[in-house]
């Protein structure tokens, strides 16, 4: 029997959807809660479930629908991206947790969806920003809210913008390349050499083979990049990414919200792995951030 410790990843739980994932007026695609202050993976799942239910009640009390989207998050029609952040903070506190200490926030800006003709069009904010202004806008959100991770803060082809964002925020938060890297080792090499991003989202079927995926993970880790295993928008109950996250010692997993069986299957598999390994497992926790 192996005595090797198994690392359980911190879950990034998608609770509010916007952008292309929702028919509402929020620009950012995903607002996630990150229950990193928990003592174990199973505790982090409990934290997430409790906040999710508080958020549901809050949305319903505002007279809005609490129906969920593809990834299990809510899609209320809010005034702005900041309104979504405020609702999440309220839900964390209402569940009895401390924002930033127990549970933080992660964003998937998916800015390629609103980057047109060299500008970032934030319609809900009434803003049209160049790369430098977009980096400053995101920095302002980090100053104001307990945000620990920003995915695709710049357009996938705006490498200059990514450099600006990384030099401005790279020491403070996790800057995750998804559309930027598409789990491709060549794009990751460019990101490393140009100091664009400091973390990578890993999607096995984005690159196509398991061996290419493992090569990309190995390169990321060798260069100090955080590795986040991720689901896709269209999912099944296949939970291979849960096993893969543990086998490559990914510090985080992005598997959706606390609803929909295709999302919960991934969390349930990780709970089984934690239970089976017991004393031989440990939770990645707050030190990741």
């Amino acid at each position: 029997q192996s005595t090797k410790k198994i690392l359980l990843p911190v879950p990034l739980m998608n609770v509010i959807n916007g952008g292309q994932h929702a028919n509402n007026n929020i620009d950012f695609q995903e607002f996630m809660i990150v229950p990193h202050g928990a003592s174990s993976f199973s505790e982090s799942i409990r934290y997430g479930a409790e906040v999710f239910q508080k958020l549901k009640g809050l949305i319903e009390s505002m007279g809005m629908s609490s129906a969920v989207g593809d990834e299990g998050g809510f899609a209320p029609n809010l005034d702005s991206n900041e309104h979504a952040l405020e609702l999440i903070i309220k839900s964390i506190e209402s569940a009895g947790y401390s924002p930033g200490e127990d549970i933080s926030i992660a964003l998937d800006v998916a800015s390629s969806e609103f980057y047109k003709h060299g500008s970032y069009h934030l319609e809900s904010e009434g803003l049209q920003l160049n790369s430098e202004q977009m980096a400053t806008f995101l920095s302002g959100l980090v100053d104001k809210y307990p945000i620990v991770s920003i995915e695709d803060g710049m357009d996938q082809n705006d490498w200059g913008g990514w450099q600006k964002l990384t030099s401005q925020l790279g020491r403070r938060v996790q800057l995750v390349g998804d559309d930027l890297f598409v789990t491709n080792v060549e794009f990751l090499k460019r990101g490393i050499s140009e100091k664009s991003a400091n973390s990578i989202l890993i999607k096995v079927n984005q690159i196509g083979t398991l061996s290419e995926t493992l090569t990309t993970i190995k390169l990321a880790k060798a260069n100090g990049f955080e590795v986040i295993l991720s689901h896709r928008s269209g999912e099944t109950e296949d939970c291979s990414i849960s096993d893969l996250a543990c086998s490559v010692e990914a510090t985080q997993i992005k598997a959706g919200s606390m609803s929909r069986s295709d999302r919960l299957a991934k969390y349930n598999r990780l709970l089984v792995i934690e239970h089976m390994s017991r004393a031989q497992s440990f939770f990645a926790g707050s030190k990741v951030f």
Side-chain angles (χ1 to χ4, degrees):
Q1 189 180 349
S2 170
T3 54
K4 190 177 179 225
K5 289 269 190 183
I6 294 172
L7 179 71
L8 274 301
V10 177
L12 274 56
M13 300 168 165
N14 179 353
V15 294
I16 292 182
N17 299 164
Q20 295 299 304
H21 282 191
N23 187 20
N24 61 12
N25 55 0
I26 309 172
D27 303 298
F28 295 174
Q29 191 162 279
E30 294 177 35
F31 295 79
M32 293 163 274
I33 53 172
V34 187
H36 54 71
S39 58
S40 64
F41 179 78
S42 46
E43 278 290 280
S44 78
I45 293 297
R46 183 169 68 83
Y47 282 23
E50 289 171 356
V51 172
F52 186 69
Q53 291 304 320
K54 290 292 182 186
L55 180 59
K56 181 182 182 184
L58 193 54
I59 289 167
E60 287 172 350
S61 73
M62 293 164 67
M64 296 182 193
S65 165
S66 60
V68 298
D70 285 353
E71 297 183 7
F74 303 115
N77 223 352
L78 304 175
D79 307 331
S80 64
N81 298 297
E82 283 210 51
H83 193 183
L85 290 166
E86 284 158 9
L87 278 188
I88 292 169
I89 295 290
K90 214 173 190 180
S91 303
I92 292 170
E93 290 172 338
S94 168
Y97 297 108
S98 173
E101 197 175 316
D102 300 318
I103 303 171
S104 294
I105 294 172
L107 302 174
D108 177 3
V109 177
S111 57
S112 295
E113 304 291 352
F114 53 79
Y115 184 70
K116 302 178 192 86
H117 314 299
S119 295
Y120 295 92
H121 296 256
L122 292 169
E123 288 180 18
S124 68
E125 315 284 343
L127 295 173
Q128 189 173 325
L129 310 172
N130 62 26
S131 301
E132 207 155 316
Q133 291 166 330
M134 184 65 179
T136 302
F137 178 77
L138 292 172
S139 292
L141 292 180
V142 171
D143 289 339
K144 199 169 173 186
Y145 300 97
I147 295 167
V148 292
S149 180
I150 300 174
E151 182 184 328
D152 287 341
M154 292 284 169
D155 177 68
Q156 62 199 37
N157 296 310
D158 186 10
W159 287 87
W162 269 100
Q163 284 179 307
K164 287 186 181 84
L165 183 65
T166 308
S167 80
Q168 204 163 320
L169 271 181
R171 290 180 182 277
R172 295 177 63 196
V173 297
Q174 187 169 265
L175 297 172
V176 187
D178 173 22
D179 295 342
L180 182 70
F181 296 136
V182 289
T183 318
N184 185 306
V185 77
E186 296 306 321
F187 290 145
L188 178 58
K189 280 177 186 170
R190 181 174 174 182
I192 291 162
S193 70
E194 294 186 11
K195 293 187 167 55
S196 297
N198 58 23
S199 308
I200 184 169
L201 204 73
I202 297 290
K203 296 169 172 171
V204 183
N205 66 351
Q206 193 174 43
I207 188 64
T209 70
L210 199 51
S211 49
E212 284 172 300
T213 302
L214 295 172
T215 302
T216 306
I217 291 171
K218 194 174 176 185
L219 179 68
K221 288 185 149 206
N223 287 276
F225 272 51
E226 292 294 341
V227 170
I228 302 130
L229 255 289
S230 176
H231 62 171
R232 305 305 301 266
S233 298
E235 265 293 346
T236 69
E237 286 192 352
D238 183 285
C239 55
S240 307
I241 63 164
S242 299
D243 290 83
L244 186 60
C246 293
S247 66
V248 301
E249 298 189 324
T251 55
Q252 296 147 75
I253 190 165
K254 195 179 167 193
S257 197
M258 282 282 97
S259 68
R260 296 185 61 114
S261 59
D262 45 325
R263 310 297 150 176
L264 293 175
K266 279 72 169 169
Y267 296 127
N268 286 338
R269 176 60 185 156
L270 285 163
L271 288 170
V272 168
I273 292 169
E274 182 183 55
H275 180 71
M276 285 166 61
S277 53
R278 300 202 180 170
Q280 280 175 257
S281 67
F282 67 103
F283 180 54
S286 294
K287 62 184 176 292
V288 173
F289 306 100

